[in-house]
Amino acid sequence: MSTLLTYISVNNGKIKRSSLEVLSRCTQEANKLGFKSAALIIDENATQYSSQLGSYGLTKVYTVEGPSFKNHLNTPVLKALSAVMNRVKPKVMAFASTEGSKDILGALAANQGIPALPDMSEFEVTDTGVKGKRPVMAAKIISNVEAEGDSVIISVRSGSYDLINLPSEPEVESVEVDVGEDETKSILKEIITASGDRVDLSEADVVVAAGRGVKDEEGQNLISELARLLNAGIGASRALTESGAYDPSLQIGQTGKVVSPQLYIAVGISGAIQHVAGITNSKVIVAINKDPDAPIFDIADYGIVGDLYKVLPPFIEELKKIKGE
Amino acid sequence: MKFYVCIKQVPDVSAPLQIKDGQLIQDNDRMILNAYDASAVEEALVLTEKHGGEVEVVLIGPEKASETIRKALAMGAHRGTHILITEKQKIDSAVYARILASYFSDKEYDFIACGKQAQDTDSGLTGSMLAEHLKIPYVTNAVGLDYENHHLTVKRQGDIGQEMIELPAPGVVTCSNDMNEPRIPSLKGIMQSKRKEVNTLTPDELGMKMEDVEIKTRILGFEEKPGRKPGKKLEGDPDKIARKTAHLLDEEAGVL
């Protein structure tokens, strides 16, 4: 029986929500077509995550473990993926679209000699392969695409599918992969993470993002206060990551992270297409900008026309009252 | 140091886009050098200016795309190669990578750089596909590059932070447009570019029979994005509209 295999991205003991979204969709497609839905975890401690996969209708969880998978590096991950794919021969190998999957999608497709459709917003499994939709041209339009093959690789944008609740007891199978040290030519020296403990932007339920209108420390303090109050991830437009006011990891948009929170608050952001490309999967968008003609208002569910320095203090105060703080 | 930079001509995504009968109407006057590739060219120029060496750009595209090679030459690239395909040949990333791999199979180089994705398709597959075909190491999504002792130190933007990766030569690196501000060609650069050498080749001459190439992914058509509509816009006294919005988020949108 054919298998739809979903790659599960993990970080710090947690499975990424975006992976579970893809997994949910794959299980639905598998059930519709009479296929099996399986998951694959590649991590230093892959097995510890399998217990978190009991409600997605899975028949099987494959794990690849070892010290080589402590941090993401493309050579060992590719080797593990190829080994598992050669064994399982999945009809679809699905990923959430992350920097990790973007790093290996092309190489995996070339290695396996099969087609890849990256960064999809919708997909369905067909008799001949996969078809679906991809946002293109800085996410301004949708391209209808299809891939033909017995096996197809896809990645899916976060926020594209809801999670399912379908209890099952998947069998866990550990796959041994020998990662030859000599073959790993590029070496990971160091990972530089931005200050302290913060919410993972691409997974956050609430995101507060600062743009050019946030001019100084006072403005940044207001952003931090609002984010703390809403337990939000902090993001920034390209202008503010380039100026050094915010860490480059926090950039949201076509070049940076794509976010899909329940609530997105754009503060002092005009809404250039490159930025908007990264936020359109948000459920509710609030924009605060003093320019009534700013393009961000064309996509905002709630637009506040006003100076952020005058708007944010009463906004924060009122939210505190609502939250009982 | 020999740097090759793979570049692509793409429609200017900031121009208005028109869709007619499922097809994208492209304005031929608004074709540009892919912004991510421009950053790759810039970075290769900076590194070879500092450490010595040469930058050659390679482009796959129709005849019209030769203007984009000239743009890169005007920025300072030393020579160019144009692998000519017709406007009608709709090739996907996999075929791009195959053609490039055939081209590079008998070349000597330290590094091949390219943009992390093309602005039109936003696929981001070709770079790592090429590396896999050439069986050489690669790093994607570079936001900073440095060269030392025959290897590049690549600062890569990953999921949880910036990864510092040592990439030995020969290798492939794909560039983000966050790493630099590509230079605007000077008048002198533009004049000089006209005398620079551009080789024109066909896939056939590289041993790729285009009519036999199997294209496994296809674009069936384009459609408008179901747009977000503007919602409520509040103007007036900042204090009042701020407090009102807070309540709307709680009571109407239910997202608090």
Side-chain angles (χ1 to χ4, degrees), chain A residues 224-280:
Chain A
S224 303
E225 171 71 359
L226 180 60
R228 186 202 56 78
L229 181 62
L230 299 174
N231 192 24
I234 293 178
S237 72
R238 191 173 170 195
L240 289 203
T241 54
E242 277 194 339
S243 75
Y246 286 91
D247 189 81
S249 315
L250 303 183
Q251 186 182 323
I252 292 173
Q254 190 196 17
T255 313
K257 290 215 158 83
V258 171
V259 297
S260 52
Q262 294 292 303
L263 173 61
Y264 184 83
I265 305 180
V267 184
I269 288 178
S270 65
I273 55 164
Q274 284 81 359
H275 182 78
V276 169
I279 66 169
T280 46

Side-chain angles (χ1 to χ4, degrees), chain A residues 76-210:
Chain A
V77 173
L78 270 171
K79 198 146 189 206
L81 274 164
S82 301
V84 174
M85 284 186 75
N86 291 341
R87 175 175 183 142
V88 180
K89 302 206 178 343
K91 188 165 168 60
V92 174
M93 177 76 236
F95 296 80
S97 193
T98 64
E99 290 306 339
S101 66
K102 283 176 186 172
D103 190 36
I104 47 94
L105 222 57
L108 184 64
N111 175 281
Q112 297 282 307
I114 59 175
L117 294 173
D119 225 18
M120 302 187 83
S121 55
E122 272 178 42
F123 74 93
E124 60 181 295
V125 182
T126 64
D127 291 340
T128 53
V130 173
K131 69 174 187 179
K133 296 180 190 297
R134 305 186 53 234
V136 294
M137 299 272 178
K140 276 164 87 180
I141 58 169
I142 299 291
S143 158
N144 287 300
V145 290
E146 69 173 9
E148 264 177 51
D150 298 334
S151 192
V152 176
I153 298 169
I154 62 168
S155 72
V156 183
R157 287 166 77 95
S158 69
S160 299
Y161 289 104
D162 294 329
L163 301 187
I164 56 168
N165 183 10
L166 195 61
S168 73
E169 281 176 31
E171 179 196 341
V172 180
E173 183 180 331
S174 161
V175 181
E176 291 290 326
V177 177
D178 176 31
V179 181
E181 292 297 324
D182 305 343
E183 288 171 58
T184 310
K185 285 188 186 142
S186 47
I187 305 161
L188 179 65
K189 293 294 217 191
E190 189 188 355
I191 298 179
I192 307 160
T193 45
S195 48
D197 212 18
R198 54 155 211 270
V199 186
D200 181 357
L201 260 188
S202 49
E203 301 279 308
D205 283 333
V206 182
V207 172
V208 175

